[in-house]
Amino acid sequence: MVYGMQLPVQAQSGLFVEGWEAGAGPGDLAEVARTAERAGFAYLASCDHVAIPRRLADAMGTTWYDPVATLSWLAGLTERVRLLSHVAIVGLRHPLLSAKSYATLDHLSGGRLILGVGAGHVPEEFAALGVDFEGRGPLLDETVDALRAALGPEEYPEHRGAFFAFEGLGQRPRPAQERVPVWVGGSSPAAVRRAATRGDGWLPQGDPRDRLPEKIATLRRLRAEAGVEGPLTIGAITEPLYVGAPSWPVGRHTLSGGPEALAESLRAYAAMGVHQIQVRFRSRSREELCDQMAAFGAEVAPHFG
C-alpha cells in the first residue's frame, strides 16, 4: 500500500482548507512537493474547476489552480513523485485539447502522469462552457475512450463516437508512457461502473471506511462481468491525520497518535483491498505540514509492511 496526497494551496474549498493556505503561494507549493518526494509519497494531486458560481463560493471558494499548469510546474521541481489530476473534469474540454496538454505534461515529466477523471458537479460551470450538464455521464464515458486513443502511442490517433470523431490529425510530443494510467473518481453507481469498465484505478470520494468493502466488491464484480483484464489500482481517502499528540484541537474525526498506532489503523485499508491511500494532515503552517509529512514517511509508512 502506497500513499499520496492532494496538494494544499491549489484548491481552497471550505471543506478542507487550513487557515494558513489563504496567504500561501508558489513557494509553499514547491516546498510541499519537495518534501513529499523526500518522504516517499507516491503522488501529488491537483484539482480542477474552471469557475465557481457565487452561490457556491462560500463553501467551495474560488481558488482552484489549473491542474496542468500546476503539475507541469511541479514536474520541473521534482524528479520521481507522480503527478495526479484529482480529478480533471475532462468532459468540459475536447479530448484532443486535453490530450495535447496532458501528453506534453507526461513527456516533459518523464512519464509521471496519472490522469484522474471525473464527471463534475457544478451546472453553471458546464453552462458557461456550452456543455450539457445533464448528459455529463455519457459524455465522460466517451471522453475517456477518446483520451485512451489520443494518449496512446499513435501519432495519428483515431476515434469515432456520438460526441467526438477524429482521424488523420497528428499530435506530438507523445506521452513518455506507453499507457497513461486513467483513474476514475467518484462513488456514485455510475462512477463505480465507469471505474470498473474503463479505468486503471478508482478514486472514491468521501466514502467512510466501513462502506468501502461493499464498493470494492461491486467494483471487482462489474469488472469481471465486463471481461476487463489488467490490474486496477483501488484507492481510498483517509481520515485527516496528525502524527503524534496534538497540542491544539485537530477535530474529532482526525486520527492522531504514535506511528505504530496510526499505521495499525491505516493497515485496515490494505486489508480491504486498497492499494493506495490519499492522506491529509491537519496543520497550522507550511512548516507544520512539512514536518507532518516527513514524520509520516519516516515513522508511520515503514509499519505498513
Side-chain angles (χ1 to χ4, degrees):
M1 186 172 67
V2 300
Y3 52 97
M5 67 177 287
Q6 187 180 125
L7 289 158
V9 183
Q10 54 82 35
Q12 298 189 25
S13 167
L15 297 175
F16 51 72
V17 68
E18 300 285 12
W20 65 269
E21 294 179 56
D28 302 284
L29 271 177
E31 186 57 33
V32 169
R34 293 185 181 111
T35 300
E37 186 155 87
R38 291 193 298 267
F41 281 67
Y43 65 79
L44 296 170
S46 181
C47 299
D48 181 28
H49 277 292
V50 174
I52 306 301
R54 290 185 185 275
R55 71 177 180 87
L56 296 176
D58 287 345
M60 293 182 64
T62 57
T63 299
W64 296 85
Y65 287 29
D66 179 80
V68 176
T70 303
L71 296 174
S72 297
W73 179 65
L74 292 174
L77 300 176
T78 56
E79 296 179 355
R80 299 177 304 279
V81 67
R82 302 206 71 171
L83 308 161
L84 167 67
S85 58
H86 188 178
V87 289
I89 310 173
V90 291
L92 292 175
R93 306 163 178 91
H94 193 285
L96 285 180
L97 183 62
S98 292
K100 169 60 72 174
S101 298
Y102 284 106
T104 303
L105 167 54
D106 193 65
H107 176 80
L108 291 174
S109 68
R112 290 192 276 151
L113 171 67
I114 303 170
L115 181 59
V117 302
H121 68 279
V122 180
E124 293 92 335
E125 201 168 26
F126 281 72
L129 298 174
V131 181
D132 177 26
F133 179 76
E134 297 301 326
R136 68 193 185 282
L139 175 63
L140 177 55
D141 285 343
E142 185 178 328
T143 301
V144 171
D145 295 343
L147 281 169
R148 285 285 193 202
L151 289 172
E154 298 299 325
E155 180 179 354
Y156 292 88
E158 296 184 8
H159 172 80
R160 186 166 298 278
F163 298 100
F164 308 108
F166 50 83
E167 62 179 335
L169 295 169
Q171 282 193 329
R172 295 185 67 89
R174 305 308 304 153
Q177 299 178 87
E178 184 175 344
R179 180 184 175 92
V180 172
V182 176
W183 290 1
V184 177
S187 294
S188 69
V192 172
R193 173 196 54 77
R194 188 174 297 118
T197 58
R198 285 180 163 83
D200 302 304
W202 178 49
L203 295 164
Q205 302 284 32
D207 288 274
R209 64 167 72 189
D210 61 343
R211 296 182 187 174
L212 280 173
E214 181 180 358
K215 289 280 182 71
I216 292 171
T218 299
L219 184 73
R220 288 175 170 159
R221 174 179 58 79
L222 291 172
R223 195 169 179 85
E225 290 174 354
V228 179
E229 298 182 351
L232 182 70
T233 300
I234 297 173
I237 299 176
T238 73
E239 302 85 348
L241 305 177
Y242 194 90
V243 183
S247 61
W248 56 286
V250 294
R252 63 188 181 92
H253 296 296
T254 299
L255 297 179
S256 63
E260 292 187 13
L262 284 179
E264 181 179 4
S265 178
L266 295 174
R267 282 198 301 267
Y269 286 103
M272 299 175 197
V274 169
H275 305 111
Q276 66 87 10
I277 52 173
Q278 187 171 124
V279 297
R280 179 171 71 86
F281 303 96
R282 295 302 318 277
S283 60
R284 294 164 293 177
S285 66
R286 183 196 79 189
E287 291 75 18
E288 185 170 31
L289 173 59
C290 289
D291 287 346
Q292 284 285 304
M293 293 168 63
F296 186 86
E299 301 171 20
V300 180
H303 293 288
F304 289 165

